[in-house]
Amino acid sequence: MKYIIAVVKPHRVEEIRTALTSIGVEGMTVSDVKGFGRQKGHSEVYRGAEYRVDFVPKVKLEIAVEASQAAKVVETIRDAAKTDRIGDGKIFVLNLEDAVRVRTGESGAAAL
């Protein structure tokens, strides 16, 4: 199994969700996060004063899938999240040792 973490622009989340649903992904966890990378924040003007915003708002998606699905999920996220502008995000793929469904006690891929 693989655990996929994607950090993307907030306005792309619904498009990503729709694309993932269309390839059979049945669930994901979504969190609002802040951070910076090469984008290094930005400046905003509020009531005539300029302020530096060091942390850019993003959304973190967490998805557990069978290893055979991982490449397709990554490709789908990348295609749906891409705007060709700086700050599009990152995707991380980790090995997932086990998963357990709390209600039934199922484990492994059956719990996904």
Side-chain angles (χ1 to χ4, degrees):
M1 294 179 295
K2 299 290 183 179
Y3 191 62
I4 300 169
I5 301 169
V7 181
V8 298
K9 291 181 174 181
H11 71 277
R12 304 302 287 179
V13 172
E14 190 57 34
E15 187 172 336
I16 294 167
R17 187 196 63 78
T18 301
L20 288 173
T21 301
S22 74
I23 64 163
V25 173
E26 295 180 343
M28 70 175 144
T29 301
V30 180
S31 306
D32 291 322
V33 296
K34 295 179 185 179
F36 71 93
R38 290 183 183 164
Q39 196 173 358
K40 296 186 177 62
H42 61 280
S43 296
E44 290 184 359
V45 177
Y46 178 71
R47 294 189 179 187
E50 186 173 336
Y51 294 92
R52 178 96 180 126
V53 179
D54 292 323
F55 294 101
V56 180
K58 299 286 183 179
V59 172
K60 180 168 73 169
L61 310 174
E62 299 172 80
I63 306 157
V65 297
E66 292 188 46
S68 61
Q69 289 182 286
K72 183 66 175 169
V73 169
V74 169
E75 178 185 356
T76 301
I77 294 170
R78 189 192 65 224
D79 291 346
K82 187 175 181 181
T83 65
D84 287 324
R85 301 185 70 195
I86 192 166
D88 275 351
K90 294 270 191 307
I91 302 170
F92 306 96
V93 181
L94 294 79
N95 288 320
L96 180 60
E97 188 172 323
D98 199 7
V100 177
R101 186 182 311 271
V102 173
R103 180 178 56 86
T104 63
E106 293 171 289
S107 64
L112 300 179

